[in-house]
Amino acid sequence: MAASQFAKVIAESSSTRSEWSLVDGNNVVAHAIISGINPYFLTRREISHIIRLELPRDFFKRRWDKVYFYGAGCSNPERNKIVELSLVAQFKTPVVVESDLVGAAHGLLQNEAGLACILGNGSNSCFYDGERITKSVSAGGFILGDEGSGSSMGRIFLSDVFKDLAPKELIEEFFAVNKITKANIMDAVYNNPHANNNLHEYSFFLADHLDNEYCHNLVTNEIKRFFDRNICQYDYKDYPVCFVGSIATRYSEILLQVAYTYNVNVKKIVSESMPGLVAYHSIGMKAEK
């Protein structure tokens, strides 16, 4: 591959998966999806191991102009340094490490002012003025926050399952389809450092049963909680609101219905930030000047 001096690596990562693009100018010349990278759960050595063993060889053919990494857990200098040192060791090139929320803002809004929201495994939001994030309501994580996320929906649903508050037929089908027991669930939640990922996975059961009033109401109420506790804290009425994430796209119809009741102008709902990040970092964009 004959790469120009402007070739760069762009990565966007959740706790469960990371998406990587090798970009030459504004062309994606290599692409890969590998394990998630979160410095709250992984050591520097573990991160380096994932990068070196799972990325295709094309990503290591030469030193690139820069590596841009946007990731969950990259919200303070100490954690960012863990990722940065791993990336520098593997790519031998300058590295920029930012949070997944900055990645969402760049990918969704690029150089336009508005609200960028993440609804996936977790949830988050910010006001972006076209250049930087000027306000962000604390996400709180899957125990103290993450309203509207897959982990929050999974937590509420499993709690209802354990207390027999969900419809009996749903409870029976849930255990039959997943071939698990209450003991399995307790172990997955309380004896696993990635409990939020497990809760997120269990929430997918709701998506397959939205014709059931209980499931529809649970999803709707959780998305309303995201609006009440996050979006309503911003000056949202004069700006576009954009969403990224698996939950945003999977429940897009309910999301739009809730947004309408709050008089929120939803401009965009996408599953991934990467296409927007490639555009943001293309030649001629403000970010590269």
Side-chain angles (χ1 to χ4, degrees):
M1 179 185 67
S4 75
Q5 61 176 319
F6 301 109
K8 59 187 72 68
V9 175
I10 304 171
E12 189 274 328
S13 181
S14 67
S15 296
T16 54
R17 68 190 290 277
S18 58
E19 184 173 4
W20 298 70
S21 291
L22 179 54
V23 181
D24 186 5
N26 58 359
N27 297 312
V28 177
V29 295
H31 178 265
I33 294 177
I34 64 174
S35 300
I37 293 173
N38 186 325
Y40 273 92
F41 302 132
L42 299 172
T43 66
R44 174 185 168 187
R45 178 175 294 182
E46 288 170 333
I47 293 171
S48 294
H49 186 81
I50 289 171
I51 293 170
R52 176 55 63 178
L53 295 184
E54 296 189 24
L55 276 178
R57 293 184 63 185
D58 283 347
F59 282 84
F60 304 103
K61 283 188 174 179
R62 52 159 281 195
R63 293 186 181 182
W64 312 113
D65 180 54
K66 193 168 287 187
V67 175
Y68 296 93
F69 184 92
Y70 300 92
C74 298
S75 54
N76 67 64
E78 181 181 351
R79 297 293 177 178
N80 289 12
K81 197 67 177 179
I82 295 173
V83 178
E84 180 184 342
L85 290 173
S86 297
L87 292 169
V88 169
Q90 299 306 313
F91 290 102
K92 307 295 191 298
T93 196
V95 171
V96 176
V97 177
E98 300 273 15
S99 69
D100 55 347
L101 190 57
V102 173
H106 288 174
L108 290 168
L109 293 158
Q110 296 178 24
N111 301 124
E112 179 184 7
L115 271 70
C117 304
I118 298 173
L119 283 180
N121 184 324
S123 68
N124 212 339
S125 63
C126 69
F127 179 80
Y128 175 71
D129 68 2
E131 294 186 10
R132 61 185 62 85
I133 292 174
T134 59
K135 180 178 180 180
S136 177
V137 177
S138 178
F142 76 100
I143 294 176
L144 300 178
D146 276 353
E147 300 88 359
S149 69
S151 60
S152 185
M153 291 179 187
R155 176 177 54 80
I156 292 170
F157 174 58
L158 291 180
S159 178
D160 285 354
V161 167
F162 269 64
K163 297 179 183 295
D164 292 324
L165 294 174
K168 182 179 180 180
E169 67 276 10
L170 276 180
I171 295 175
E172 292 175 350
E173 183 178 351
F174 172 75
F175 283 115
V177 168
N178 290 282
K179 296 180 173 58
I180 54 175
T181 65
K182 288 184 178 181
N184 297 145
I185 294 173
M186 292 291 286
D187 185 63
V189 173
Y190 291 106
N191 295 321
N192 192 314
H194 306 297
N196 59 323
N197 297 342
N198 292 324
L199 293 172
H200 181 224
E201 290 296 319
Y202 289 137
S203 77
F204 293 152
F205 181 82
L206 300 170
D208 296 328
H209 297 81
L210 287 179
D211 56 339
N212 182 285
E213 183 180 7
Y214 165 85
C215 295
H216 193 279
N217 287 342
L218 191 157
V219 171
T220 301
N221 289 336
E222 261 305 284
I223 293 177
K224 284 181 177 178
R225 287 211 316 137
F226 179 78
F227 276 70
D228 286 335
R229 298 172 64 83
N230 297 277
I231 291 179
C232 287
Q233 297 198 53
Y234 302 98
D235 178 21
Y236 65 86
K237 292 187 177 179
D238 295 325
Y239 295 94
V241 181
C242 300
F243 291 85
V244 62
S246 58
I247 295 299
T249 51
R250 189 169 295 234
Y251 302 115
S252 59
E253 185 175 336
I254 295 176
L255 175 58
L256 289 172
Q257 290 171 350
V258 172
Y260 178 79
T261 66
Y262 284 80
N263 196 27
V264 170
N265 172 27
V266 177
K267 180 180 180 179
K268 186 183 300 182
I269 301 175
V270 297
S271 59
E272 307 294 341
S273 297
M274 185 56 72
L277 287 172
V278 170
Y280 180 80
H281 287 291
S282 294
I283 301 303
M285 296 296 292
K286 185 185 296 186
E288 299 297 324
K289 293 181 180 178

